[in-house]
Every structure is written in structure tokens, then in C-alpha cells.
Amino acid sequence: MKKLFSFLLIFCAITANYAQTNELKLPVVFHSDRGNHSNSYHGLQGAKLVPDKSKYADQLKNYSNIRVEEISIYFAAITSIWDNSFRHTFNYALVTDSNGNEKIIVDVNNNRNFNDDKAFSRDTVSFERRLSPELMKSFEVEYDWAKNGKKVKRHVRVRIIYNDMLKMYLYTMDHYGIADFFGKKLEIVSNSDLSYDNFEIFEDTARFSIGISNNKYLLHNEDVYRIKEIDINKELLILEKENLQYSKTQSAQVGFRVPSFSELEWFTKDTISIDKLKGKYIFLDMWTPWCGPCIKELPNIRKLYDKANTEKIAFIAVVGEDEHEKINKIIKTTGLNWPLVENNSKNKIFNKFKVNSYPTTLLIDPNGIIIKFGFSVTELEKFLEEYKLLN
């Protein structure tokens, strides 16, 4: 019995040590400014505004149609010495002035009082894949953080803008991190708040290049590292070395083998298999029925599909699960006539591809390797022309 117990202890120690040695922990230096990638479309969130007629009525008595939103700067209790006195959220109000104009008020000193804050006219833009930060109203917002075991006051620049196509406000926070990966500079940008639970990593300094989200991979020579998490308190980027050969690793990112799936096609009910399409280029478009920009692009994709040489390139659309009546209506109004499959709770195609924004577009070469990710229909047309994939 003692021998068995000793064996188990040794086994557990070896297993724990293996798990630790499989992790690569990279120090991260955080910056409170925009960086090269901090204002990409993926970093913007829509604020859902809730009417509030009581709590702030006295503070905003000169306005009507009062709506107040609380926005998270980071998750509660994420700092190492958290207590309820930490200001980890801030408020802003949407109001209507006496002339009928909508104004925005941000509680920049974070004292839950709008009496000492100014009202600004909102900036409005139509939908763009990328929103220029120069078009966005910006505010320095005060909050609390922990440093060396004590609570300290910090500031973060928040940019807010109204999108008239989406009919909502969008915001982003100026904050990013820098890490070194075997001599390669990584820029890390949060897609939500300063908790960095959902983030992207950029391997170069070119503004608006495509980021790599958590749970995707970084490469060093032939070694594959999964992007695991960021420890915001210890300021570490944690990677996990995979026991996989790069050539056999599937991931929805440029240079990797495309994740495979085999599903029934919407119109014909025949099976579509990514693996069986080897030898052809593949254009993959992932979208949802509630995504206005996705639906707006479908007629333009159809024009290209009607001209494409389908002996050399396959078009596949993957739609998010929804009422079939709604999907069929979109098919009818947009003229979608190329192969379509549905992402659902069984096949979890979007999960396989780790989709976190829509539309998500990919180009796959005849060997099953992804060669382009996140691009417009205009870029697709140029590619088809350059590679002589049009009739």
C-alpha cells in the first residue's frame, strides 16, 4: 500500500511538473494609449442603454429622455486585493436637451454624479469595417487598480461613437500590452475590457493587420504554442506548448490547415465536406441573420460567384443557427445561390473556427491551407482576378 501511495505521489509530481514545463509565461508591459491595433473593429462594444428615471433624475433635471449605462472597465474582484470600494465601472448618460438634440455625458471622475460633467453632442458614423479613432469622442475616465498590494488611482481613455446603421453606441478603451516571443514583438489588445479575458495578438506593427485570438496558435520554428490566457495581476501572457506537429494542426488562421467539417447543404441536402474539396480553392463566408453588414455583402458575393470558375474554386456560406423562415427570407432577398450550411449546437462549426466577429471570411488553397483571413468582397474579387479564377 505504501509503495502504491509513493508511486501515486511521484506520478502526480511528474504530471504537475510536465504541465508547468509545457507552459511558457511571457512578461507583458501594458500601455494606456492606443497602440497600432487598439482601435480595430473587434475592440468595439455596443452599449445597451436602459432608461433610468429615478436615480439620476435630480442630477439631469435639465434634460429629458434620460438613459444611463454602466460600462465595465474590468471584472469585479479581478485585482489581487479587491474590495467593494474599487471603482471598476463607470457611467455615461444619454439625454435630450431642450432643443430636442441628443447629448452624451460621461462621468469622467467616476463619482457617480453627473453634476460636475459636461454634455457633448454625439459623433455619428455609418458602418465601416474599421472605425477611425479620430472620429470618436474621447474621455479620460478615472478608476481604481491594485499595485504593490495597495489601491491606486488610474485613468483610461474611452472613445465613444454612435453608429447610425447599427443604431447603437460603440466604445473602445485605449489600452494594450507588449510581450516578447523568441525575439518577436507581440502586441496584445483586449476585445472587451481591461480584464483581457478575450483578446487578440498581433505579430507585426502594421496597423489593422489580422489578430490571433486566444486559443489559437503562435509558431516558433516547428513548435506550436496555444494562446492560453493573460494573468492581468502578474502581467503575464501564458502560452501552452502543444504536442502537435505544425503540419497537422488545424486552426482558423493564415498558414494553418483549415478545420474540417462535413455537413448537409441547405438547398440540396447533399453532404459538403471540406476534405473532399481538396484540389480547389475555397472561399468560406461565416455570417449570422442578425448581422446587417453580413447581409449587405451577400448580393456582392453572388455577383462574384456567378462569374467564378467553380471547377477551380468552391464558395461555401455558413450561417448562424436561427429560424429557418428568417434565413430563407434572407436567401430570397439577397439572391444567395451558392452552397450553404448551418452552424448549430451539434456541429459547432463556429466554435471550431473560433469565430468572434461577423462576417468572418477565409480563403483556403487547394492543399487545405488558409491563405487569407478577414477580408472584403473587393479583396476577394482582386484575388479571383489575379489567380484567374473567373470565367
Side-chain angles (χ1 to χ4, degrees):
M1 189 69 182
K2 287 183 178 178
K3 287 184 178 180
L4 176 60
F5 182 70
S6 298
F7 172 77
L8 289 174
L9 282 177
I10 293 169
F11 176 78
C12 290
I14 291 172
T15 304
N17 184 60
Y18 176 77
Q20 289 175 357
T21 55
N22 246 25
E23 281 190 347
L24 180 62
K25 297 181 179 181
L26 305 178
V28 180
V29 178
F30 287 101
H31 301 267
S32 295
D33 56 71
R34 213 167 62 227
N36 286 319
H37 306 279
S38 298
N39 289 284
S40 68
Y41 174 74
H42 302 295
L44 297 170
Q45 302 293 318
K48 183 175 68 176
L49 297 163
V50 180
D52 190 326
K53 297 180 180 178
S54 56
K55 188 175 180 181
Y56 296 99
D58 290 340
Q59 298 175 23
L60 302 169
K61 58 187 176 183
N62 295 325
Y63 301 98
S64 60
N65 193 25
I66 298 168
R67 292 157 290 163
V68 176
E69 168 73 4
E70 183 177 78
I71 296 177
S72 172
I73 299 174
Y74 57 87
F75 291 147
I78 196 171
T79 68
S80 55
I81 62 164
W82 168 266
D83 64 47
N84 290 333
S85 69
F86 275 66
R87 296 170 297 169
H88 67 103
T89 64
F90 71 95
N91 291 337
Y92 74 88
L94 286 185
V95 297
T96 303
D97 67 14
S98 58
N99 296 318
N101 299 315
E102 186 163 270
K103 296 289 181 73
I104 183 170
I105 309 173
V106 176
D107 181 17
V108 292
N109 61 1
N110 215 340
N111 64 352
R112 296 300 190 261
N113 191 325
F114 289 110
N115 284 326
D116 52 3
D117 297 297
K118 296 180 180 179
F120 295 88
S121 300
R122 73 185 189 187
D123 289 329
T124 303
V125 295
S126 298
F127 181 84
E128 297 175 23
R129 183 62 178 168
R130 308 287 183 184
L131 293 176
S132 170
E134 286 74 23
L135 295 175
M136 305 176 76
K137 278 276 190 301
S138 65
F139 307 87
E140 284 281 347
V141 177
E142 190 175 299
Y143 70 100
D144 297 316
W145 191 247
K147 185 175 182 181
N148 299 326
K150 295 181 180 180
K151 183 168 73 173
V152 295
K153 182 171 67 177
R154 285 187 175 179
H155 293 84
V156 62
R157 182 164 293 280
V158 179
R159 300 175 189 273
I160 301 177
I161 201 163
Y162 183 76
N163 187 295
D164 63 359
M165 180 177 177
L166 300 178
K167 305 299 180 188
M168 67 167 61
Y169 281 81
L170 305 171
Y171 71 90
T172 187
M173 300 181 196
D174 286 1
H175 200 268
Y176 71 99
I178 293 292
D180 182 271
F181 178 65
F182 296 105
K184 184 184 294 182
K185 180 181 175 183
L186 304 178
E187 185 172 314
I188 307 159
V189 177
S190 174
N191 281 335
S192 51
D193 56 22
L194 304 194
S195 304
Y196 282 81
D197 64 308
N198 185 353
F199 58 90
E200 287 184 287
I201 292 179
F202 297 83
E203 293 189 84
D204 58 67
T205 57
R207 187 181 289 272
F208 302 146
S209 64
I210 298 300
I212 305 168
S213 58
N214 37 330
N215 284 319
K216 289 187 178 179
Y217 301 106
L218 292 171
L219 286 177
H220 174 60
N221 298 327
E222 290 298 308
D223 293 331
V224 179
Y225 290 85
R226 181 173 66 86
I227 302 168
K228 190 175 179 182
E229 63 180 324
I230 287 181
D231 186 326
I232 194 70
N233 284 301
K234 294 181 179 179
E235 300 187 343
L236 293 173
L237 169 64
I238 301 174
L239 309 177
E240 188 169 29
K241 188 176 179 181
E242 297 284 347
N243 295 318
L244 293 170
Q245 292 181 350
Y246 161 60
S247 60
K248 295 182 179 179
T249 304
Q250 294 185 352
S251 185
Q253 56 189 112
V254 173
F256 282 80
R257 191 164 298 283
V258 65
S260 60
F261 64 82
S262 183
E263 294 299 326
L264 292 181
E265 201 275 325
W266 185 273
F267 303 105
T268 64
K269 308 305 179 186
D270 293 334
T271 299
I272 288 184
S273 171
I274 289 284
D275 291 338
K276 290 182 180 179
L277 288 171
K278 281 186 180 177
K280 288 185 177 184
Y281 287 96
I282 302 171
F283 167 63
L284 202 57
D285 177 37
M286 300 185 178
W287 56 279
T288 64
W290 49 261
C291 171
C294 302
I295 295 167
K296 188 178 179 180
E297 286 280 47
L298 293 177
N300 298 322
I301 295 174
R302 178 185 174 165
K303 291 177 184 177
L304 288 182
Y305 176 70
D306 289 343
K307 296 189 296 182
N309 183 342
T310 53
E311 294 296 318
K312 295 181 179 179
I313 183 168
F315 280 53
I316 302 175
V318 183
V319 62
E321 188 173 22
D322 210 320
E323 296 174 4
H324 283 198
E325 183 179 344
K326 186 184 293 186
I327 295 173
N328 282 324
K329 184 177 180 181
I330 293 170
I331 289 170
K332 185 176 180 180
T333 56
T334 61
L336 194 159
N337 60 346
W338 57 96
L340 173 70
V341 299
E342 184 182 24
N343 167 79
N344 55 48
S345 57
K346 290 183 179 179
N347 60 39
K348 297 181 179 178
I349 295 174
F350 285 173
N351 285 358
K352 286 183 180 180
F353 284 79
K354 299 180 177 66
V355 177
N356 57 20
S357 66
Y358 304 95
T360 288
T361 50
L362 298 93
L363 264 173
I364 301 137
D365 76 8
N367 296 312
I369 304 299
I370 297 170
I371 55 176
K372 203 169 181 60
F373 183 96
F375 51 92
S376 66
V377 175
T378 302
E379 291 175 282
L380 174 62
E381 184 173 20
K382 289 178 181 177
F383 178 86
L384 297 181
E385 290 172 349
E386 182 180 351
Y387 285 78
K388 297 180 172 48
L389 300 174
L390 296 173
N391 285 320

